[in-house]
């Protein structure tokens, strides 16, 4: 169960770790947007190089990246195969009724690279930002919306709490599953309905304990006079520094270069 | 008749990952039929990991676990069947309660064994009897019970499966002294009545000294001692060096001896300690 906590935070002191989380978030989003604007293979390869350089900066082992890529391999294969077979163009080779075209291969490669870059980029964000940093970044970015009456503070608090409890609930699911398996619960065999039924002994204790935790947390927050996040200050206030300007500049230059590379290739 | 044998058993969490952690390594031993074994060790010494390998919840990353001579991981399709021989009560077992009534919850295990309704009913009664759960509680919701009662209901749920070996992971954690004693007495009674193997994880040396006849000491994931209570507590000084608590009375006797009183120090129950202290004073005055 624990293995599915995709892209958890890795403690570190790299340049990227030291950026303001808002900058990290916006740059990641910008990176994802440009991935969809690129339409040549050369650009995709360069985009991959770019993200790999960022990984090198953070000193995250390639092994970790590969591990987080593992679950999406089927998706990559599936889209590649579809692209390969269904795009018309110059035939490279063919068997039975299926023809593999040059264009098909080209798009398959591009799509795969795009998905890989997408995942690598968003994983880099979660590897280098704690959930708390991410929520405070979101809270700060959405601040203007509170003028429209949106309870931005409360939403941010809810998100912080939800993120905080994901690992706890996963761990608890693990424990409950172990306990019910020890009592002979059969979780891995049977048809769909039997399996769904077999989940009752897991889900009920999980809900009971989630509600109990929520109760306790609410009480603890009230005891400390929490009354909605209005005017709440932070221990680590967000602050844009010179490093952030430099990062944005470097990123922009890279993007411009990539767009120019696209022109050249055509 | 069931024996449980471990051969060079080791377990590594997140194996192959940068954050891999070896929790248990190179443990070889045999749990003999009918023993009451106390497992002690610091938090993080691998006790919980070790016992989760006994019923196949965790698969050893090295070595094998044998029940009655068969490697439990030899044939995965028989794993569930073999698991029934070892009843495991995990830490804070009240998490496992989920049914509408205590009776139904205790019956969950026996039902999974595929027993007849009468058999299930008699097992629920028997288990509730061992755990001293009064008849009127059986039809209440398990979520309405007190902490100690929930704990006993959860243990009953495992006992009702009539395992050959009963393993309990810190069954007294988080209970008050009275609740602790109740649970331990219940386990002791069960052991005396059924003569089946009981393995009790605890971090209280006093409890282990009082209830177990054998002690297994874990230290940093390895087996430090596995012997009769008397033999293990002869190593009181070494145990102290690894930072483990020795039974309170043994500690007192060691201090008395250091101060020059001629007492036996391989003693671990209050009654025997009182005896040797009285004898020592008789020796002085006589
Ligand atoms: N699910 C897990 N994932 C990673 N490491 C774990 C896990 N469970 C336990 N550990 C680690 O294994 C070691 C032994 O833990 P455990 O068997 O729970 O010890 P004990 O029960 O003696 O306190 C500890 O260092 C603990 O941090
Ligand atoms: Mg433990």
């Amino acid at each position: 169960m624990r293995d599915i906590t995709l892209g958890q935070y890795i403690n570190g002191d790299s340049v990227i770790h030291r950026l303001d989380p808002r900058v990290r978030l916006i740059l990641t989003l910008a990176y994802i947007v440009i991935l969809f604007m690129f339409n040549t293979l050369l650009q995709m390869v360069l985009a991959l190089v770019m993200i790999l350089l960022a990984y090198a900066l953070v000193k995250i082992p390639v092994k970790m990246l590969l591990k987080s890529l593992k679950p999406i391999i089927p998706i990559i294969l599936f889209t590649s195969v579809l692209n390969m077979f269904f795009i018309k163009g110059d035939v490279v080779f063919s068997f039975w009724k299926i023809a593999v075209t040059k264009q098909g291969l080209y798009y398959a490669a591009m799509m795969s690279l795009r998905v890989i870059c997408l995942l690598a980029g968003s994983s880099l964000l979660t590897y280098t930002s704690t959930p708390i940093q991410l929520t405070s970044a979101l809270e700060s970015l959405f601040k203007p919306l509170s003028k429209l009456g949106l309870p931005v503070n409360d939403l941010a608090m809810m998100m912080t709490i939800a993120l905080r409890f994901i690992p706890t609930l996963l761990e608890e699911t693990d424990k409950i599953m172990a306990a019910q398996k020890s009592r002979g619960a059969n979780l891995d065999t049977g048809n769909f309905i039997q399996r769904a039924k077999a989940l009752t002994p897991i889900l009920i204790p999980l809900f009971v304990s989630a509600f109990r935790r929520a109760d306790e947390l609410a009480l603890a927050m009230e005891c400390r006079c929490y009354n909605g996040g209005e005017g709440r200050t932070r221990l680590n206030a967000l602050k844009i520094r010179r490093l952030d300007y430099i990062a944005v500049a470097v990123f922009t230059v890279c993007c411009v270069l990539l767009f120019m590379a696209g022109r050249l290739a055509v | 008749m069931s024996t449980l044998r471990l051969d060079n058993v080791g377990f590594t969490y997140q194996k192959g990952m940068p954050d891999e952690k070896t929790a248990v390594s190179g443990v070889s031993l045999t749990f003999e039929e009918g023993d009451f074994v106390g497992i002690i060790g610091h938090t993080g010494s691998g006790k919980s990991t070790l016992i989760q390998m006994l019923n196949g919840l965790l698969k050893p990353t090295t070595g094998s676990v044998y029940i009655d001579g068969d490697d439990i991981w030899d044939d995965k399709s028989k794993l569930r069947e073999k698991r029934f021989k070892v009843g495991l009560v995990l830490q804070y077992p009240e998490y496992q309660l989920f049914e509408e009534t205590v009776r139904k919850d205790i019956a969950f295990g026996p039902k999974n064994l595929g027993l007849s309704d009468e058999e299930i009913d008699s097992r629920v009664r028997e288990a509730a009897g061992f755990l001293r759960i009064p008849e009127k509680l059986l039809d209440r919701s398990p979520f309405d019970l007190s902490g100690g009662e929930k704990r006993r209901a959860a243990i009953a749920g495992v006992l009702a499966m009539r395992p050959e070996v009963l393993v309990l992971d810190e069954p007294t954690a988080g209970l008050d002294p009275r609740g602790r004693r109740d649970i331990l007495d219940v386990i002791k009674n069960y052991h005396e009545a059924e003569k089946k193997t009981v393995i009790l994880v605890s971090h209280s040396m006093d409890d282990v000294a009082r209830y177990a006849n054998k002690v297994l000491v874990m230290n940093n994931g390895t087996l430090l001692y596995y012997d009769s209570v008397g033999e293990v507590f002869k190593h009181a000084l070494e145990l102290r060096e690894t930072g483990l608590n020795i039974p309170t009375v043994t500690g007192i006797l060691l201090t008395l001896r250091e101060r020059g009183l001629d007492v036996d120090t391989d003693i671990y129950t209050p009654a025997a300690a009182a005896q040797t202290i009285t004898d020592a004073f008789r020796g002085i005055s006589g």
Side-chain angles (χ1 to χ4, degrees):
Chain A
M1 269 291 174
R2 259 169 230 236
D3 316 332
I4 67 172
T5 28
L6 194 124
Q8 71 271 61
Y9 177 67
I10 298 173
N11 205 357
D13 189 34
S14 68
V15 178
I16 296 186
H17 276 94
R18 273 180 279 147
L19 291 179
D20 185 294
R22 284 171 297 183
V23 172
R24 237 174 313 175
L25 186 66
I26 289 174
L27 291 187
T28 309
L29 290 178
Y31 179 74
I32 290 172
V33 170
I34 61 162
L35 281 180
F36 284 97
M37 290 165 69
F38 288 164
N39 45 21
T40 67
L41 190 57
L42 177 66
Q43 284 173 315
M44 280 303 168
V45 173
L46 290 175
L48 181 67
V49 171
M50 193 170 145
I51 196 73
L52 287 180
L53 284 178
Y55 269 81
L57 269 182
V58 190
K59 298 206 182 70
I60 290 175
V62 182
K63 214 169 158 187
M64 290 227 33
L65 180 59
L66 291 180
K67 189 190 160 205
S68 65
L69 281 178
K70 222 158 127 195
I72 59 151
I73 287 175
I75 302 177
I76 295 182
L77 285 180
F78 184 70
T79 47
S80 305
V81 166
L82 279 188
N83 274 308
M84 245 157 40
F85 294 152
F86 293 108
I87 290 178
K88 307 248 175 309
D90 315 330
V91 176
V92 182
F93 60 88
S94 64
F95 55 93
W96 193 42
K97 277 184 197 160
I98 300 167
V100 175
T101 64
K102 200 169 135 199
Q103 282 81 354
L105 286 176
Y106 188 84
Y107 277 101
M110 245 184 63
M111 282 295 295
S112 315
L113 277 179
R114 183 174 282 153
V115 175
I116 291 173
C117 289
L118 207 65
L119 198 92
S122 41
S123 303
L124 187 64
L125 179 68
T126 51
Y127 282 149
T128 53
S129 323
T130 61
I132 301 291
Q133 286 179 337
L134 283 181
T135 32
S136 51
L138 281 177
E139 185 180 0
S140 157
L141 291 172
F142 282 121
K143 191 120 242 174
L145 290 183
S146 62
K147 292 218 172 64
L148 301 176
L150 208 71
V152 174
N153 289 315
D154 291 342
L155 288 177
M157 178 52 80
M158 281 191 235
M159 208 166 121
T160 313
I161 293 174
L163 286 171
R164 153 69 185 78
F165 278 103
I166 288 174
T168 314
L169 286 181
L170 284 177
E171 202 173 297
E172 209 142 284
T173 314
D174 257 353
K175 277 190 199 152
I176 297 169
M177 275 172 72
Q180 306 301 31
K181 272 201 226 161
S182 300
R183 293 207 282 166
N186 203 345
L187 302 177
D188 329 299
T189 54
N191 61 31
F192 179 75
I193 294 178
Q194 283 168 327
R195 279 191 197 205
K197 260 192 180 160
L199 283 181
T200 327
I202 315 266
L203 291 181
I204 290 181
L206 196 61
F207 275 110
V208 169
S209 102
F211 280 116
R212 203 203 50 215
R213 274 179 203 285
D215 248 5
E216 284 169 1
L217 183 67
L219 194 62
M221 284 167 82
E222 268 170 25
C223 288
R224 295 182 212 172
C225 305
Y226 179 82
N227 52 3
E230 214 63 54
R232 185 166 156 255
T233 56
R234 299 190 170 279
L235 179 59
N236 301 308
L238 300 181
K239 195 158 181 286
I240 305 279
R241 277 168 305 191
R242 209 168 66 197
L243 187 65
D244 297 298
Y245 290 117
I246 297 175
V248 173
V250 170
F251 180 81
T252 315
V253 170
C254 287
C255 289
V256 170
L257 287 177
L258 288 197
F259 273 110
M260 281 169 30
R263 287 281 160 75
L264 288 181
V266 170
Chain B
M1 294 286 134
S2 253
T3 57
L4 200 52
R5 186 163 68 82
L6 276 61
D7 184 24
N8 192 31
V9 163
F11 190 85
T12 306
Y13 286 103
Q14 271 94 33
K15 192 160 178 77
M17 288 295 120
D19 55 346
E20 73 170 27
K21 160 98 202 162
T22 299
V24 171
S25 63
V27 174
S28 301
L29 57 89
T30 306
F31 294 107
E32 301 286 353
E33 168 87 26
D35 270 347
F36 193 133
V37 181
I39 301 185
I40 40 184
H42 281 298
T43 316
S45 60
K47 306 181 296 288
S48 299
T49 308
L50 182 73
I51 60 163
Q52 285 181 61
M53 289 188 280
L54 299 182
N55 77 340
L57 279 180
L58 295 177
K59 182 175 182 180
T61 41
T62 63
S64 316
V65 176
Y66 300 90
I67 296 180
D68 295 332
D70 301 328
D71 184 339
I72 58 171
W73 286 97
D74 254 2
D75 183 355
K76 261 193 102 170
S77 61
K78 295 220 181 94
L79 178 64
R80 192 160 164 261
E81 193 180 302
K82 284 178 187 150
R83 178 173 286 154
F84 293 146
K85 294 193 178 178
V86 181
L88 179 56
V89 180
L90 292 164
Q91 204 168 356
Y92 298 108
E94 50 276 22
Y95 278 116
Q96 75 189 27
L97 301 171
F98 74 101
E99 277 284 10
E100 290 155 52
T101 65
V102 175
R103 187 188 304 277
K104 278 192 188 168
D105 204 281
I106 300 178
F108 179 68
K111 214 178 256 167
N112 287 328
L113 291 175
L115 302 172
S116 69
D117 282 353
E118 297 98 77
E119 178 67 15
I120 291 176
D121 197 52
S122 89
R123 291 216 182 173
V124 171
R125 262 167 224 284
E126 180 194 66
F130 270 125
L131 270 301
R132 301 183 193 147
I133 300 169
E135 181 76 28
K136 66 176 199 307
L137 279 192
L138 286 181
D139 292 310
R140 294 254 294 273
S141 158
F143 300 110
D144 293 341
L145 304 183
S146 76
E149 287 165 347
K150 276 187 192 161
R151 181 75 52 95
R152 281 187 279 146
I155 298 176
V158 173
L159 263 199
M161 299 177 74
R162 288 213 188 128
E164 301 282 332
V165 180
L166 178 66
V167 188
L168 303 110
D169 194 353
E170 304 203 20
T172 58
L175 294 182
D176 56 15
R178 166 109 189 262
R180 297 169 58 114
R181 196 143 15 85
D182 281 353
I183 297 266
L184 290 171
D185 284 342
V186 157
I187 297 167
K188 180 88 182 161
N189 286 341
Y190 164 81
H191 179 248
E192 278 166 4
E194 298 287 307
K195 307 268 183 297
K196 284 182 182 156
T197 318
V198 173
I199 299 171
L200 172 79
V201 176
S202 168
H203 52 230
S204 158
M205 282 288 184
D206 290 322
D207 290 346
V208 167
R210 178 190 291 231
Y211 292 98
N213 66 328
K214 273 190 148 181
V215 187
L216 191 166
V217 183
M218 292 291 292
N219 189 30
N220 280 331
T222 59
L223 188 151
L224 189 61
Y225 299 114
Y226 176 50
D227 214 328
S228 66
V229 174
E231 286 302 314
V232 170
F233 290 142
K234 276 188 186 149
H235 301 283
L237 290 173
E238 290 95 326
L239 284 174
R240 254 190 191 166
E241 260 162 44
T242 63
L244 280 169
N245 274 323
I246 53 174
T248 317
V249 286
T250 318
I252 293 172
L253 292 174
L254 281 171
T255 315
L256 286 177
R257 164 160 276 189
E258 268 167 35
R259 301 269 172 92
L261 191 66
D262 182 26
V263 288
D264 279 341
T265 52
D266 47 353
I267 275 175
Y268 32 85
T269 58
Q275 188 60 46
T276 183
I277 294 174
T278 334
D279 290 349
F281 277 115
R282 285 228 175 84
I284 291 173
S285 57

